[in-house]
Amino acid sequence: MIIFCAPLRADTETAPDEIPGLSQLAAAADVVALVQVRDTDYRLKREIPVSGSAYLGVLIPYKMDQEADLVEVYEKGLHEGECYFPNPTVFEEGRRFLVFLQRDEEDPERYRGMPEGCALEVLVKSDNSYAVRYPADGIMFRDDLDALAAPMAFADPYAIVKDEDLSPETRNTMLEAGQIKSHGDGEWRYTMGIDLPALRRNIGREALED
């Protein structure tokens, strides 16, 4: 079972003027970084995480309130914007994410996700650079990122998604937009992304200053 941070986009019922931009989220965050999931320790109910921690290796630190190679991200309960991560098996490498995190007020040794969500999935391209998978979900933000998105060749195993993991509506919308293509029987391949340096420039240097 694959579990992601709750998919959030700016088309929810939240008033438009209440939805922050990525720059605002970055400025409010204690950590903005490219990370890779190392391990999780979740309490499960019916195979769904309901509390516990994920341990994320820091690959590229864009903003850190203190230097660290590994960060703990705690979550509790099921709610909009929840911040749970998929646990890799012993045969898999962990998924990569661009995360926006804040210090946990109850335990300053660990972090929590932002109220708007915590992570955008990142895939490895064929030239070994990184790109945020598009459409970008996992965080509620008001930025229109269409102009930054471009067709990409991904070399990442997580660029393949099973048909059962996409709702018919989502699959049809993405097919029409050219965001996925067939990868054989019952599988699809993501085809669009936003280069990580381009997204970083869109966020802005000032928002990433400690």
Side-chain angles (χ1 to χ4, degrees):
M1 179 180 179
I2 298 175
I3 303 164
F4 290 100
C5 309
L8 297 173
R9 292 296 303 275
D11 52 2
T12 70
E13 296 180 357
T14 304
D17 58 354
E18 296 178 0
I19 299 173
L22 287 174
S23 293
Q24 291 172 282
L25 289 173
D30 294 311
V31 169
V32 180
L34 174 64
V35 301
Q36 186 169 27
V37 180
R38 298 277 182 85
D39 195 11
T40 64
D41 183 16
Y42 291 140
R43 184 168 67 90
L44 305 178
K45 283 188 176 181
R46 298 179 182 177
E47 299 188 24
I48 297 174
V50 293
S51 66
S53 294
Y55 300 91
L56 313 177
V58 177
L59 303 179
I60 303 177
Y62 295 113
K63 178 182 182 181
M64 302 285 291
D65 59 351
Q66 68 177 38
E67 291 187 11
D69 296 323
L70 188 75
V71 295
E72 177 184 356
V73 181
Y74 178 76
E75 183 57 281
K76 182 178 182 180
L78 301 176
H79 54 86
E80 189 175 38
E82 65 195 30
C83 191
Y84 294 108
F85 293 87
N87 189 35
T89 70
V90 294
F91 304 105
E92 299 173 327
E93 64 175 6
R95 290 178 182 262
R96 298 169 183 84
F97 295 92
L98 179 66
V99 295
F100 297 72
L101 307 171
Q102 291 181 320
R103 282 280 175 186
D104 188 343
E105 294 181 356
E106 298 178 359
D107 184 347
E109 295 298 316
R110 65 192 186 191
Y111 295 89
R112 301 290 296 265
M114 310 287 284
E116 297 80 8
C118 69
L120 302 174
E121 187 174 18
V122 173
L123 300 174
V124 179
K125 296 168 56 179
S126 57
D127 63 359
N128 289 323
S129 62
Y130 296 113
V132 171
R133 177 175 59 79
Y134 193 79
D137 52 31
I139 297 177
M140 185 189 300
F141 56 86
R142 68 166 179 257
D143 305 62
D144 183 357
L145 302 179
D146 286 355
L148 299 179
M152 294 184 178
F154 294 112
D156 197 307
Y158 295 118
I160 309 301
V161 59
K162 294 182 180 179
D163 190 63
E164 63 195 52
D165 293 326
L166 296 174
S167 70
E169 181 181 2
T170 298
R171 180 194 63 222
N172 293 339
T173 298
M174 294 183 73
L175 269 173
E176 185 176 347
Q179 296 164 348
I180 55 173
K181 65 179 181 181
S182 177
H183 187 68
D185 188 28
E187 291 186 330
W188 305 92
R189 175 180 285 275
Y190 294 118
T191 61
M192 298 285 290
I194 300 171
D195 280 321
L196 210 49
L199 188 62
R200 180 182 181 275
R201 289 191 295 270
N202 184 76
I203 291 172
R205 180 178 299 177
E206 289 186 0
L208 297 171
E209 292 179 348
D210 295 336

